[in-house]
Amino acid sequence: TLEADPGAAYRVGAVSFDALRHTRRSLAARLAGLQEGAVYDPGDVAAARARLAQLGVFTAVAAAAERRPDGTVDVTFRAEERPRFTLAYGVRWESEAGVAAVVDAVDRNLLGRAVTLGGRLRWESDDQSARLYLGADDLLGSRAGFQAFAEWRRRTQGNLQYDTLESTFALTHPAWSAASARAYAAWRDSRLTEVEPDPFFPLDVRVTH
């Protein structure tokens, strides 16, 4: 005959986050999902740590638990954030093509919500473009991801000028372990004109789809 006394169950006490400079604590707390007063389970802490690590804005996430005399356990997460901003640029010169330049700017943690906002400007004498990207791999801990993209481009060939404006939007969500459901939409506007229009028969062709 075995008799066991389980003792008092420990409860989750204060849940805190150290070293967060850019990420909102409200987002981290919602993603961790530990409720104050709930029964303390080390497995729940490990799962919370894994969810935070999958957010994509941390290089490392550690968790520490401190048992207190009143029967509660304070949990502290310490996360090391990735660099938030990135700026890259380049310039080149060729005897036939002339000068070309490109600038990339990225914010990987927009408004502290683990959303990536990026832009690119590219310039050549006969080809210019501007691009904007917005996306997140795990939106607010919902496991849903989205990507939005927009680009304007102008190309010149002789007296012909091609202007295009296009955008795409995609929303993904895991359907089961080996597949994901995805909704996708795209829009494109193309226009062909002349740099110096013919005064009698100007060329202006536009296609939207």
Side-chain angles (χ1 to χ4, degrees):
T1 302
L2 300 177
E3 295 182 1
D5 182 5
Y10 277 91
R11 300 283 175 175
V12 176
V15 179
S16 59
F17 300 85
D18 286 348
L20 291 184
R21 297 178 53 200
H22 307 298
T23 307
R24 289 178 178 263
R25 282 173 168 75
S26 58
L27 171 63
R30 183 165 55 249
L31 192 61
L34 297 180
Q35 299 296 326
E36 185 175 345
V39 176
Y40 171 74
D41 185 347
D44 293 340
V45 176
R49 177 175 170 270
R51 288 192 295 269
L52 290 170
Q54 293 172 358
L55 193 58
V57 297
F58 305 124
T59 58
V61 179
E66 181 182 356
R67 298 177 183 266
R68 304 182 65 85
D70 60 358
T72 61
V73 180
D74 292 343
V75 181
T76 302
F77 293 96
R78 183 175 181 83
E80 296 181 10
E81 292 179 304
R82 299 178 184 274
R84 178 179 173 181
F85 300 103
T86 301
L87 178 65
Y89 56 90
V91 179
R92 79 169 188 268
W93 177 84
E94 297 179 3
S95 58
E96 296 182 358
V99 178
V102 61
V103 178
D104 282 312
V106 179
D107 181 354
R108 292 184 176 85
N109 200 353
L110 180 65
L111 302 177
R113 299 187 179 275
V115 176
T116 298
L117 174 64
R120 164 177 282 196
L121 296 175
R122 189 171 61 87
W123 185 91
E124 297 182 24
S125 59
D126 58 355
D127 193 349
Q128 302 91 39
S129 65
R131 181 181 301 176
L132 189 66
Y133 170 81
L134 182 69
D137 294 330
D138 189 351
L139 184 61
L140 302 179
S142 64
R143 300 178 65 200
F146 78 95
Q147 300 83 35
F149 167 86
E151 181 183 51
W152 169 85
R153 185 178 182 185
R154 169 171 289 176
R155 293 174 296 156
T156 305
Q157 295 181 355
N159 194 41
L160 297 179
Q161 181 172 281
Y162 301 85
D163 289 318
T164 59
L165 180 62
E166 61 179 315
S167 61
T168 61
F169 179 82
L171 182 66
T172 59
H173 194 282
W176 55 85
S177 58
S180 297
R182 184 178 188 184
Y184 179 83
W187 176 84
R188 180 184 178 95
D189 181 88
S190 304
R191 187 179 183 186
L192 173 62
T193 57
E194 295 172 301
V195 178
E196 298 181 2
D198 188 301
F200 300 103
F201 301 99
L203 177 65
D204 193 340
V205 179
R206 188 171 186 176
V207 178
T208 302
H209 57 87

